[in-house]
Amino acid sequence: MEANKFVLVHQNSIGASFGLNALSGKKEKEKEEVPESWGKITWRRFCKNKVAVWSLVLFGAIILMAVLAPLISPFDPAQTTGAFDEGPSAAHLLGTDDVGRDVLSRLIYGSQVSLIVGIGSVVIYAAIGITLGLLSGYFGGMVDSLIMRITEVFMAYPQFMIILVIVSLIGPNMMTVMLVMGFMGWPPICRLVRGEVLSIKTQDYISAAIVTGYSPFTIVFKHILPNVLSPILVNCTFGIANAILTEASLSFLGMGVQPPAASWGNMLTSAQSIMVLSAEPWRWIPPGIAILIAVLTINFLGDGLNEAIDGDSK
Amino acid sequence: MGKYILKRVLISIPVLFLISIGAFILVHLTPGDPADMYISPDMTAAQVEMTRAALGLDKPLFIQYVDWIANFLTGNMGFSFADRQPVLDIISQRLGPTLILMSISLIVAYATAIPLGIIAALHKNSKLDRAIIGWTFFNVSFPPFFLGLALIYIFAVELDLLPTGGMEVLGMENDGIDLAEHLVLPVIVMASQFSANMIRYVRASVLEVLGQNYIRTALAKGLKWRQILRFHVLRNSLIPIVTVIGTDLPKVIGGAVITEQIFQWPGIGSLTVAAINSRDYPVLMAIVILSAIAVLIANLTVDIAYAAIDPRIKYSK
């Protein structure tokens, strides 16, 4: 619908022959109008959304915190540097945990784990999902039904439970969490890409490419992929938020990043005891809020991106 | 319709088969021999071999799979490594509490989400709409375990209003009030995760229906807005809800793991964590397969229900 409106506006401004000129006379028109690039338009729309912009700033701050962790954290996150179970003080701003590790330093280093696992697993599953989705949608037939059956099998296992079981069986650490989440998470994006490809495949420019004699590889990766990138981008943004939440949940259950390595999730593990929960809130409230902020900002970012790409739905 | 159902069921069979192979491979790829649990260091080599033979571990993997699946289909899921009880018994003991928690959570989630979604759509872009949408973002971003711990901290520790966990006070006569008190916090944690998705879906769906031509027609022919809402908008926009229920189900099963663990709820979720910690493979394998079957059945039911509710869907496709 939005696209129709857009075309209508163009037709009004530059004449009814626009449709016919689309192929032959487009360059001429561009000189007159100097249209903005897709990226610029999207960015301008994105900037109108204040929540999304603030989320971007905040998310940038989290990335900075992860990168600069060795410089800004006051202590070694894995070493005993103070008294056990000590409340916040001038030396330890957020107190210490049960073996005297500095909570603030662990909080800062925990951002590394969240970002690496969150982004890493999404990159893995996006690569798998995009490739299979393109193949499935473009070639159809046997390839398609085989890939679709496999996605059905993967999606039948309750996602969190199967990741939990596999990670615990092969040995929980940051690498396995990232890899397992990556290898289990691709079916939704595969289906998304497949659906997009199916609708793009019928477009004239794809038929033109086939007739011109381009190889299927070139058509799929050079002509189709760039046109399905925006929904993938939005999906991946939400995916990162989800992956951070999953990693934190696994580490919380003791099936993710193992102490002494610091992760926001495993910092909350000890709060399962009522003692820690009630008497030492400095140990579990800060990492909980850190996860909340990280996930919330990425979700807002994804939403802003979605709106910016979709055009103004308001 | 009959043909459609039959076809959907037939498609599910190879998927089920692959699911079972997946679970079998998963457990057998793990380092360590399942027989280790039964073998003590003072056994002779011959005794070890006998134990392995008794467990069927000396046979080729393929035969082991066939044996296992044949037993599984007749309800014999083996014995737990941890306490040597039949797996079927252990799981059926834990199923009840999980079903109670899940069904009440979903009912609470949807009972709040559907009206909120409709309200948000009818007041599109108002402050109320923004507040509801903001609330859904907050809900999906709140780590469930952090929410659970925070609720325990506030309502059980500080205010001392509700129990910290479990399903009943031990040694007391079981009554509804006791169960309800134990349900409040876990249900809030579970429901908050599932209401968000439904709110957004209902909102989008109502907005889509509001833009349809038949709504304009109904307005043009002079129907009262109230009537249009009731008979045209709501009826049509609530159909897609069925799909949300379908996508929520696998998440409910996964979400139950964390919620049950935090609140020590004696269900399948906390059993999963216990089985992982004690490397109880037979129990784990049964949980993985049964939950996958549950998801498959749920999806099937949703597809059929969807086709039954919406006459526009063709069965023959």
Side-chain angles (χ1 to χ4, degrees):
Chain A
M1 260 183 47
E2 285 302 320
N4 281 340
K5 244 190 236 166
F6 202 62
V7 170
L8 272 177
V9 171
H10 271 263
Q11 281 181 343
N12 288 340
S13 58
I14 53 181
S17 59
F18 178 78
L20 288 174
N21 279 339
L23 277 174
S24 54
K26 208 179 167 198
K27 272 185 186 148
E28 253 177 59
K29 301 294 172 200
E30 272 175 6
K31 262 182 214 158
E32 289 170 19
E33 293 208 339
V34 197
E36 282 178 289
S37 72
W38 178 84
K40 267 188 189 164
I41 297 174
T42 310
W43 174 246
R44 195 161 42 79
R45 289 209 198 108
F46 182 85
C47 288
K48 276 189 202 158
N49 186 337
K50 281 207 184 93
V51 178
V53 173
W54 277 109
S55 297
L56 185 65
V57 172
L58 216 55
F59 185 57
I62 295 172
I63 292 179
L64 214 60
M65 177 162 95
V67 174
L68 299 179
L71 297 175
I72 57 174
S73 70
F75 295 97
D76 185 328
Q79 295 294 321
T80 301
T81 52
F84 297 170
D85 298 315
E86 204 182 32
S89 62
H92 299 276
L93 288 176
L94 290 176
T96 60
D97 67 5
D98 51 346
V99 289
R101 294 175 297 216
D102 181 49
V103 174
L104 178 62
S105 305
R106 294 181 70 71
L107 194 71
I108 293 170
Y109 270 91
S111 62
Q112 289 184 341
V113 172
S114 288
L115 290 178
I116 292 173
V117 174
I119 296 171
S121 63
V122 170
V123 167
I124 295 173
Y125 81 58
I128 302 175
I130 291 170
T131 311
L132 292 180
L134 287 172
L135 292 177
S136 190
Y138 185 77
F139 290 107
M142 278 291 287
V143 180
D144 183 35
S145 44
L146 182 70
I147 293 177
M148 282 301 107
R149 283 299 90 72
I150 299 175
T151 61
E152 257 171 60
V153 174
F154 270 76
M155 287 168 97
Y157 297 113
Q159 186 85 11
F160 182 73
M161 185 180 264
I162 195 73
I163 291 175
L164 174 70
V165 171
I166 299 179
V167 168
S168 67
L169 290 180
I170 60 178
N173 61 52
M174 192 176 86
M175 257 345 231
T176 52
V177 169
M178 187 176 88
L179 291 176
V180 172
M181 279 166 62
F183 285 115
M184 295 306 294
W186 58 270
I189 213 160
C190 173
R191 294 198 157 188
L192 174 83
V193 172
R194 174 183 175 267
E196 296 284 328
V197 173
L198 283 182
S199 70
I200 288 180
K201 217 168 77 172
T202 58
Q203 306 265 322
D204 288 343
Y205 67 90
I206 299 301
S207 314
I210 295 173
V211 172
T212 319
Y214 283 117
S215 71
F217 183 86
T218 316
I219 296 175
V220 167
F221 284 95
K222 279 194 136 173
H223 296 101
I224 295 184
L225 185 58
N227 288 297
V228 298
L229 273 182
S230 12
I232 294 174
L233 198 65
V234 172
N235 189 291
C236 286
T237 315
F238 289 125
I240 292 172
N242 220 342
I244 289 177
L245 217 47
T246 307
E247 181 276 321
S249 303
L250 289 171
S251 297
F252 169 76
L253 289 175
M255 296 300 155
V257 177
Q258 302 291 315
S263 127
W264 288 342
N266 74 22
M267 291 175 76
L268 278 127
T269 308
S270 58
Q272 282 184 78
S273 98
I274 294 293
M275 252 299 293
V276 175
L277 187 75
S278 55
E280 301 171 23
W282 65 85
R283 282 179 58 187
W284 62 273
I285 293 179
I289 291 176
I291 303 169
L292 176 61
I293 292 177
V295 176
L296 200 61
T297 51
I298 300 172
N299 276 331
F300 278 135
L301 252 175
D303 188 54
L305 208 58
N306 194 18
E307 249 176 42
I309 288 171
D310 248 14
D312 274 357
S313 54
K314 279 172 192 173
Chain B
M1 186 76 191
K3 211 173 148 193
Y4 173 77
I5 295 176
L6 188 71
K7 202 187 164 197
R8 288 290 301 138
V9 172
L10 286 180
I11 288 178
S12 302
I13 291 173
V15 173
L16 254 177
F17 180 66
L18 288 173
I19 286 170
S20 71
I21 293 182
F24 185 80
I25 293 174
L26 184 71
V27 172
H28 281 263
L29 275 182
T30 54
D33 190 332
D36 287 348
M37 296 290 287
Y38 291 92
I39 296 169
S40 52
D42 53 333
M43 278 179 161
T44 62
Q47 279 174 317
V48 170
E49 270 318 299
M50 266 173 64
T51 316
R52 288 179 57 84
L55 290 168
L57 292 169
D58 55 340
K59 296 177 191 163
L61 263 187
F62 172 71
I63 305 291
Q64 283 188 42
Y65 170 75
V66 173
D67 280 354
W68 170 72
I69 200 81
N71 276 325
F72 196 94
L73 289 175
T74 55
N76 176 10
M77 304 180 192
F79 292 85
S80 154
F81 284 169
D83 53 11
R84 310 280 155 96
Q85 275 186 15
V87 171
L88 190 63
D89 287 3
I90 298 177
I91 289 191
S92 47
Q93 277 167 24
R94 300 292 198 113
L95 198 59
T98 292
L99 288 179
I100 293 176
L101 180 61
M102 281 181 185
S103 48
I104 295 181
S105 301
L106 282 183
I107 291 170
V108 170
Y110 295 160
T112 49
I114 295 171
L116 282 176
I118 296 171
I119 292 171
L122 293 181
H123 300 86
K124 194 191 170 196
N125 291 337
S126 68
K127 278 210 176 102
L128 189 63
D129 179 30
R130 294 225 180 91
I132 292 173
I133 295 298
W135 168 248
T136 66
F137 272 98
F138 211 65
N139 264 346
V140 290
S141 307
F142 221 111
F145 51 93
F146 182 48
L147 178 62
L149 292 173
L151 288 175
I152 294 176
Y153 182 64
I154 297 168
F155 292 101
V157 176
E158 292 293 315
L159 299 176
D160 201 16
L161 284 174
L162 293 162
T164 56
M167 197 165 95
E168 58 205 14
V169 177
L170 289 177
M172 250 180 55
E173 202 62 34
N174 282 344
D175 59 354
I177 298 172
D178 184 39
L179 179 65
E181 279 183 351
H182 284 85
L183 267 170
V184 175
L185 297 183
V187 164
I188 292 178
V189 173
M190 292 263 281
S192 70
Q193 294 168 65
F194 297 105
S195 63
N197 200 12
M198 184 62 104
I199 290 175
R200 288 190 204 169
Y201 213 95
V202 170
R203 179 179 179 273
S205 175
V206 171
L207 282 179
E208 197 192 316
V209 173
L210 283 176
Q212 297 288 321
N213 286 337
Y214 59 79
I215 299 297
R216 198 171 48 193
T217 309
L219 266 176
K221 74 181 181 188
L223 273 187
K224 281 187 193 132
W225 182 235
R226 186 173 268 280
Q227 275 178 312
I228 296 177
L229 270 189
R230 214 170 127 196
F231 294 106
H232 296 79
V233 178
L234 295 189
R235 279 206 178 175
N236 287 304
S237 54
L238 294 189
I239 290 174
I241 284 178
V242 183
T243 31
V244 183
I245 299 176
T247 55
D248 274 353
L249 219 100
K251 292 185 209 150
V252 180
I253 297 173
V257 176
I258 292 173
T259 313
E260 288 185 7
Q261 179 65 15
I262 294 170
F263 293 99
Q264 297 136 45
W265 190 261
I268 300 284
S270 51
L271 177 68
T272 311
V273 178
I276 285 172
N277 285 329
S278 60
R279 306 246 138 198
D280 200 339
Y281 297 141
V283 172
L284 269 186
M285 203 143 74
I287 292 176
V288 168
I289 292 201
L290 288 177
S291 52
I293 292 174
V295 171
L296 217 58
I297 292 175
N299 286 344
L300 196 66
T301 319
V302 164
D303 279 355
I304 293 169
Y306 202 70
I309 298 171
D310 191 339
R312 283 170 301 187
I313 292 175
K314 287 180 192 131
Y315 309 128
S316 52
K317 219 172 104 184

